[in-house]
Amino acid sequence: HRLAVKALAWCGRQNNLLASAGLDRTIHLWRPEAQRGGKPVVSGALNGHNSGVVDLCFHEARDVLFSLDSQGGVLVWDLASRTLVSRLNSISQNNFDIQRKVARMIVNQRSRHLVTATNHLRLQGVRPLDLRDESEKLVAHTGDVSVVLYNASFDFILSADRGGFVSTWSLATGAQIFKFVCVEVEGTLGIPQVECGGFDLSERRLIIGWSQGSVQVYNFSNGTLLHILITDSPSPVTCVRQVTYVRGKEVHINFMAALSDGSVAIWPN
């Protein structure tokens, strides 16, 4: 952060993310377990506030993050797609409230309400938002789709766009099953983009090839990054596979990636 940090929120469950925000108006998402140079890896940033962010809270049941700024504005973020899904009215409905803008908020995880409060702690000054009956929202791709795969083991379609947004779809109903955003490739020139993808031999892991020559392996069921495979070339990855072969009495399983410069990278499983 460029300015003072005012709020932290642990976005557990399937995300395993720490959210931080402050006076620079930006919400940073961190993966504490992933370290580079002894420091946690920044997984992404959320921008949309017009003033400093003073409070954060996470709604476990709906997998959304609420952020409150100094002007009383509350934004709702879908963490799987890293998109802004709603803006809540920041004005209290209590006519006797002098300030009227929301000052604090908290999520009641048991009742699944977001409770916002103004500078008067009265019943009329508390505005609940019940998310229990809200239907699951379809989040579509916003960029060019670069990967479409069929998983025969679990009978679903997986799609990924060049920005790293991954979605799985039920083949029977067409409904969106799960969605997540790939961890950004750091330490590279330009904006990294997803070039290709594939499943491992068991069809339980997703392999993603990036435009900067790196390969990532994910658990597509929860979006967890399992491995980062680095090549010596900055050229785009054009094809990724996991292959098995027998040499003597030993069975070898390797990850392989073809790059646009004509090279092929091989990693042991």
Side-chain angles (χ1 to χ4, degrees), residues 215-243:
V215 175
Q216 295 176 333
V217 182
Y218 287 89
N219 180 340
F220 54 76
S221 298
N222 55 22
T224 300
L225 176 61
L226 303 175
H227 304 288
I228 301 177
L229 309 176
I230 305 298
T231 68
D232 296 329
S233 171
S235 301
V237 178
T238 57
C239 182
V240 290
R241 290 289 185 273
Q242 187 183 42
V243 297

mmCIF file of all heavy atoms in Angstrom, residues 215-243:
data_model
loop_
_atom_site.group_PDB
_atom_site.id
_atom_site.type_symbol
_atom_site.label_atom_id
_atom_site.label_comp_id
_atom_site.label_asym_id
_atom_site.label_seq_id
_atom_site.Cartn_x
_atom_site.Cartn_y
_atom_site.Cartn_z
ATOM 1 N N VAL A 215 4.183 -22.138 -16.475
ATOM 2 C CA VAL A 215 3.074 -23.087 -16.421
ATOM 3 C C VAL A 215 2.624 -23.212 -14.974
ATOM 4 O O VAL A 215 3.458 -23.267 -14.060
ATOM 5 C CB VAL A 215 3.506 -24.464 -16.964
ATOM 6 C CG1 VAL A 215 2.392 -25.490 -16.792
ATOM 7 C CG2 VAL A 215 3.900 -24.360 -18.438
ATOM 8 N N GLN A 216 1.308 -23.239 -14.745
ATOM 9 C CA GLN A 216 0.755 -23.382 -13.404
ATOM 10 C C GLN A 216 -0.162 -24.604 -13.360
ATOM 11 O O GLN A 216 -0.825 -24.923 -14.352
ATOM 12 C CB GLN A 216 -0.022 -22.136 -12.983
ATOM 13 C CG GLN A 216 0.832 -20.891 -12.846
ATOM 14 C CD GLN A 216 -0.004 -19.667 -12.528
ATOM 15 O OE1 GLN A 216 -1.174 -19.596 -12.872
ATOM 16 N NE2 GLN A 216 0.598 -18.695 -11.866
ATOM 17 N N VAL A 217 -0.198 -25.247 -12.202
ATOM 18 C CA VAL A 217 -1.061 -26.411 -11.997
ATOM 19 C C VAL A 217 -2.036 -26.090 -10.874
ATOM 20 O O VAL A 217 -1.613 -25.660 -9.786
ATOM 21 C CB VAL A 217 -0.236 -27.668 -11.648
ATOM 22 C CG1 VAL A 217 -1.148 -28.882 -11.496
ATOM 23 C CG2 VAL A 217 0.826 -27.928 -12.719
ATOM 24 N N TYR A 218 -3.336 -26.274 -11.114
ATOM 25 C CA TYR A 218 -4.384 -25.903 -10.164
ATOM 26 C C TYR A 218 -5.252 -27.101 -9.799
ATOM 27 O O TYR A 218 -5.416 -28.033 -10.595
ATOM 28 C CB TYR A 218 -5.311 -24.823 -10.768
ATOM 29 C CG TYR A 218 -4.710 -23.456 -10.863
ATOM 30 C CD1 TYR A 218 -3.998 -23.073 -11.993
ATOM 31 C CD2 TYR A 218 -4.859 -22.532 -9.831
ATOM 32 C CE1 TYR A 218 -3.451 -21.812 -12.092
ATOM 33 C CE2 TYR A 218 -4.315 -21.263 -9.922
ATOM 34 C CZ TYR A 218 -3.618 -20.913 -11.056
ATOM 35 O OH TYR A 218 -3.071 -19.655 -11.147
ATOM 36 N N ASN A 219 -5.820 -27.023 -8.596
ATOM 37 C CA ASN A 219 -6.959 -27.853 -8.222
ATOM 38 C C ASN A 219 -8.196 -27.100 -8.683
ATOM 39 O O ASN A 219 -8.560 -26.085 -8.092
ATOM 40 C CB ASN A 219 -6.983 -28.078 -6.713
ATOM 41 C CG ASN A 219 -8.143 -28.944 -6.274
ATOM 42 O OD1 ASN A 219 -9.138 -29.102 -6.984
ATOM 43 N ND2 ASN A 219 -8.050 -29.501 -5.075
ATOM 44 N N PHE A 220 -8.836 -27.557 -9.753
ATOM 45 C CA PHE A 220 -9.953 -26.795 -10.317
ATOM 46 C C PHE A 220 -11.197 -26.856 -9.446
ATOM 47 O O PHE A 220 -12.140 -26.091 -9.657
ATOM 48 C CB PHE A 220 -10.286 -27.281 -11.732
ATOM 49 C CG PHE A 220 -10.555 -28.754 -11.851
ATOM 50 C CD1 PHE A 220 -11.760 -29.296 -11.424
ATOM 51 C CD2 PHE A 220 -9.616 -29.609 -12.400
ATOM 52 C CE1 PHE A 220 -12.020 -30.655 -11.532
ATOM 53 C CE2 PHE A 220 -9.864 -30.969 -12.519
ATOM 54 C CZ PHE A 220 -11.075 -31.490 -12.086
ATOM 55 N N SER A 221 -11.231 -27.747 -8.446
ATOM 56 C CA SER A 221 -12.408 -27.839 -7.574
ATOM 57 C C SER A 221 -12.502 -26.669 -6.600
ATOM 58 O O SER A 221 -13.596 -26.278 -6.197
ATOM 59 C CB SER A 221 -12.389 -29.151 -6.789
ATOM 60 O OG SER A 221 -12.431 -30.251 -7.659
ATOM 61 N N ASN A 222 -11.340 -26.109 -6.198
ATOM 62 C CA ASN A 222 -11.364 -24.992 -5.241
ATOM 63 C C ASN A 222 -10.463 -23.832 -5.646
ATOM 64 O O ASN A 222 -10.352 -22.861 -4.907
ATOM 65 C CB ASN A 222 -10.974 -25.472 -3.835
ATOM 66 C CG ASN A 222 -9.627 -26.176 -3.819
ATOM 67 O OD1 ASN A 222 -8.792 -25.989 -4.692
ATOM 68 N ND2 ASN A 222 -9.417 -26.999 -2.802
ATOM 69 N N GLY A 223 -9.798 -23.918 -6.797
ATOM 70 C CA GLY A 223 -8.978 -22.815 -7.280
ATOM 71 C C GLY A 223 -7.613 -22.700 -6.640
ATOM 72 O O GLY A 223 -6.936 -21.687 -6.805
ATOM 73 N N THR A 224 -7.167 -23.736 -5.918
ATOM 74 C CA THR A 224 -5.876 -23.679 -5.239
ATOM 75 C C THR A 224 -4.738 -23.870 -6.235
ATOM 76 O O THR A 224 -4.756 -24.805 -7.039
ATOM 77 C CB THR A 224 -5.794 -24.753 -4.152
ATOM 78 O OG1 THR A 224 -6.843 -24.533 -3.198
ATOM 79 C CG2 THR A 224 -4.447 -24.699 -3.435
ATOM 80 N N LEU A 225 -3.745 -22.985 -6.171
ATOM 81 C CA LEU A 225 -2.548 -23.122 -6.991
ATOM 82 C C LEU A 225 -1.638 -24.169 -6.359
ATOM 83 O O LEU A 225 -1.187 -24.014 -5.223
ATOM 84 C CB LEU A 225 -1.826 -21.780 -7.104
ATOM 85 C CG LEU A 225 -0.492 -21.775 -7.856
ATOM 86 C CD1 LEU A 225 -0.683 -22.216 -9.291
ATOM 87 C CD2 LEU A 225 0.145 -20.394 -7.782
ATOM 88 N N LEU A 226 -1.338 -25.242 -7.095
ATOM 89 C CA LEU A 226 -0.551 -26.354 -6.566
ATOM 90 C C LEU A 226 0.927 -26.241 -6.919
ATOM 91 O O LEU A 226 1.792 -26.522 -6.085
ATOM 92 C CB LEU A 226 -1.103 -27.680 -7.087
ATOM 93 C CG LEU A 226 -2.581 -27.966 -6.775
ATOM 94 C CD1 LEU A 226 -3.024 -29.260 -7.449
ATOM 95 C CD2 LEU A 226 -2.813 -28.035 -5.283
ATOM 96 N N HIS A 227 1.224 -25.864 -8.155
ATOM 97 C CA HIS A 227 2.619 -25.806 -8.602
ATOM 98 C C HIS A 227 2.796 -24.637 -9.567
ATOM 99 O O HIS A 227 1.878 -24.298 -10.332
ATOM 100 C CB HIS A 227 3.048 -27.102 -9.310
ATOM 101 C CG HIS A 227 2.864 -28.340 -8.494
ATOM 102 N ND1 HIS A 227 3.653 -28.642 -7.407
ATOM 103 C CD2 HIS A 227 1.970 -29.356 -8.600
ATOM 104 C CE1 HIS A 227 3.261 -29.785 -6.886
ATOM 105 N NE2 HIS A 227 2.238 -30.233 -7.583
ATOM 106 N N ILE A 228 4.000 -24.050 -9.579
ATOM 107 C CA ILE A 228 4.418 -23.087 -10.586
ATOM 108 C C ILE A 228 5.658 -23.654 -11.269
ATOM 109 O O ILE A 228 6.676 -23.908 -10.627
ATOM 110 C CB ILE A 228 4.739 -21.712 -9.966
ATOM 111 C CG1 ILE A 228 3.516 -21.143 -9.238
ATOM 112 C CG2 ILE A 228 5.200 -20.738 -11.047
ATOM 113 C CD1 ILE A 228 3.792 -19.819 -8.543
ATOM 114 N N LEU A 229 5.577 -23.871 -12.573
ATOM 115 C CA LEU A 229 6.665 -24.455 -13.355
ATOM 116 C C LEU A 229 7.251 -23.365 -14.246
ATOM 117 O O LEU A 229 6.535 -22.766 -15.062
ATOM 118 C CB LEU A 229 6.156 -25.626 -14.195
ATOM 119 C CG LEU A 229 5.339 -26.686 -13.425
ATOM 120 C CD1 LEU A 229 4.811 -27.748 -14.385
ATOM 121 C CD2 LEU A 229 6.174 -27.315 -12.329
ATOM 122 N N ILE A 230 8.537 -23.106 -14.099
ATOM 123 C CA ILE A 230 9.185 -22.010 -14.799
ATOM 124 C C ILE A 230 10.063 -22.558 -15.916
ATOM 125 O O ILE A 230 10.773 -23.557 -15.747
ATOM 126 C CB ILE A 230 10.051 -21.170 -13.833
ATOM 127 C CG1 ILE A 230 9.192 -20.689 -12.653
ATOM 128 C CG2 ILE A 230 10.678 -19.983 -14.550
ATOM 129 C CD1 ILE A 230 8.049 -19.790 -13.054
ATOM 130 N N THR A 231 10.043 -21.888 -17.075
ATOM 131 C CA THR A 231 10.916 -22.228 -18.190
ATOM 132 C C THR A 231 12.025 -21.190 -18.305
ATOM 133 O O THR A 231 11.976 -20.135 -17.677
ATOM 134 C CB THR A 231 10.135 -22.284 -19.512
ATOM 135 O OG1 THR A 231 9.698 -20.957 -19.851
ATOM 136 C CG2 THR A 231 8.919 -23.180 -19.377
ATOM 137 N N ASP A 232 13.021 -21.498 -19.139
ATOM 138 C CA ASP A 232 14.119 -20.561 -19.395
ATOM 139 C C ASP A 232 13.778 -19.569 -20.497
ATOM 140 O O ASP A 232 14.570 -18.676 -20.788
ATOM 141 C CB ASP A 232 15.394 -21.320 -19.791
ATOM 142 C CG ASP A 232 15.907 -22.206 -18.660
ATOM 143 O OD1 ASP A 232 15.689 -21.824 -17.488
ATOM 144 O OD2 ASP A 232 16.491 -23.261 -18.946
ATOM 145 N N SER A 233 12.613 -19.721 -21.099
ATOM 146 C CA SER A 233 12.231 -18.884 -22.230
ATOM 147 C C SER A 233 11.066 -17.968 -21.853
ATOM 148 O O SER A 233 10.140 -18.399 -21.164
ATOM 149 C CB SER A 233 11.825 -19.758 -23.425
ATOM 150 O OG SER A 233 11.260 -18.977 -24.460
ATOM 151 N N PRO A 234 11.080 -16.700 -22.322
ATOM 152 C CA PRO A 234 9.937 -15.807 -22.089
ATOM 153 C C PRO A 234 8.863 -15.923 -23.157
ATOM 154 O O PRO A 234 7.916 -15.141 -23.170
ATOM 155 C CB PRO A 234 10.597 -14.421 -22.129
ATOM 156 C CG PRO A 234 11.725 -14.580 -23.101
ATOM 157 C CD PRO A 234 12.231 -15.989 -22.925
ATOM 158 N N SER A 235 8.989 -16.899 -24.070
ATOM 159 C CA SER A 235 8.037 -17.057 -25.163
ATOM 160 C C SER A 235 6.731 -17.660 -24.669
ATOM 161 O O SER A 235 6.709 -18.397 -23.671
ATOM 162 C CB SER A 235 8.635 -17.952 -26.261
ATOM 163 O OG SER A 235 9.828 -17.398 -26.774
ATOM 164 N N PRO A 236 5.636 -17.383 -25.346
ATOM 165 C CA PRO A 236 4.336 -17.938 -24.941
ATOM 166 C C PRO A 236 4.308 -19.464 -24.995
ATOM 167 O O PRO A 236 4.906 -20.074 -25.887
ATOM 168 C CB PRO A 236 3.360 -17.336 -25.964
ATOM 169 C CG PRO A 236 4.038 -16.109 -26.470
ATOM 170 C CD PRO A 236 5.504 -16.418 -26.462
ATOM 171 N N VAL A 237 3.608 -20.054 -24.040
ATOM 172 C CA VAL A 237 3.389 -21.501 -24.025
ATOM 173 C C VAL A 237 2.223 -21.810 -24.953
ATOM 174 O O VAL A 237 1.140 -21.237 -24.813
ATOM 175 C CB VAL A 237 3.091 -22.007 -22.599
ATOM 176 C CG1 VAL A 237 2.820 -23.500 -22.605
ATOM 177 C CG2 VAL A 237 4.251 -21.682 -21.672
ATOM 178 N N THR A 238 2.429 -22.704 -25.897
ATOM 179 C CA THR A 238 1.402 -22.999 -26.898
ATOM 180 C C THR A 238 0.643 -24.287 -26.618
ATOM 181 O O THR A 238 -0.456 -24.482 -27.124
ATOM 182 C CB THR A 238 2.035 -23.084 -28.298
ATOM 183 O OG1 THR A 238 3.063 -24.093 -28.287
ATOM 184 C CG2 THR A 238 2.660 -21.749 -28.686
ATOM 185 N N CYS A 239 1.225 -25.196 -25.807
ATOM 186 C CA CYS A 239 0.565 -26.473 -25.523
ATOM 187 C C CYS A 239 1.111 -27.043 -24.219
ATOM 188 O O CYS A 239 2.317 -26.936 -23.959
ATOM 189 C CB CYS A 239 0.791 -27.455 -26.674
ATOM 190 S SG CYS A 239 -0.028 -29.048 -26.467
ATOM 191 N N VAL A 240 0.242 -27.607 -23.389
ATOM 192 C CA VAL A 240 0.658 -28.231 -22.129
ATOM 193 C C VAL A 240 0.055 -29.624 -22.040
ATOM 194 O O VAL A 240 -1.090 -29.848 -22.428
ATOM 195 C CB VAL A 240 0.237 -27.394 -20.906
ATOM 196 C CG1 VAL A 240 1.046 -26.111 -20.816
ATOM 197 C CG2 VAL A 240 -1.251 -27.077 -20.937
ATOM 198 N N ARG A 241 0.841 -30.565 -21.521
ATOM 199 C CA ARG A 241 0.380 -31.941 -21.380
ATOM 200 C C ARG A 241 1.074 -32.592 -20.184
ATOM 201 O O ARG A 241 2.157 -32.176 -19.773
ATOM 202 C CB ARG A 241 0.681 -32.771 -22.628
ATOM 203 C CG ARG A 241 -0.114 -32.428 -23.856
ATOM 204 C CD ARG A 241 -1.576 -32.844 -23.721
ATOM 205 N NE ARG A 241 -2.299 -32.621 -24.962
ATOM 206 C CZ ARG A 241 -2.889 -31.470 -25.285
ATOM 207 N NH1 ARG A 241 -2.847 -30.450 -24.431
ATOM 208 N NH2 ARG A 241 -3.528 -31.348 -26.432
ATOM 209 N N GLN A 242 0.436 -33.641 -19.645
ATOM 210 C CA GLN A 242 1.115 -34.544 -18.737
ATOM 211 C C GLN A 242 1.188 -35.889 -19.439
ATOM 212 O O GLN A 242 0.176 -36.396 -19.940
ATOM 213 C CB GLN A 242 0.386 -34.693 -17.405
ATOM 214 C CG GLN A 242 1.184 -35.501 -16.377
ATOM 215 C CD GLN A 242 0.432 -35.699 -15.080
ATOM 216 O OE1 GLN A 242 -0.760 -35.977 -15.082
ATOM 217 N NE2 GLN A 242 1.120 -35.563 -13.969
ATOM 218 N N VAL A 243 2.382 -36.468 -19.501
ATOM 219 C CA VAL A 243 2.581 -37.701 -20.251
ATOM 220 C C VAL A 243 3.191 -38.760 -19.345
ATOM 221 O O VAL A 243 3.847 -38.453 -18.350
ATOM 222 C CB VAL A 243 3.499 -37.466 -21.472
ATOM 223 C CG1 VAL A 243 2.866 -36.493 -22.435
ATOM 224 C CG2 VAL A 243 4.871 -36.977 -21.029
#
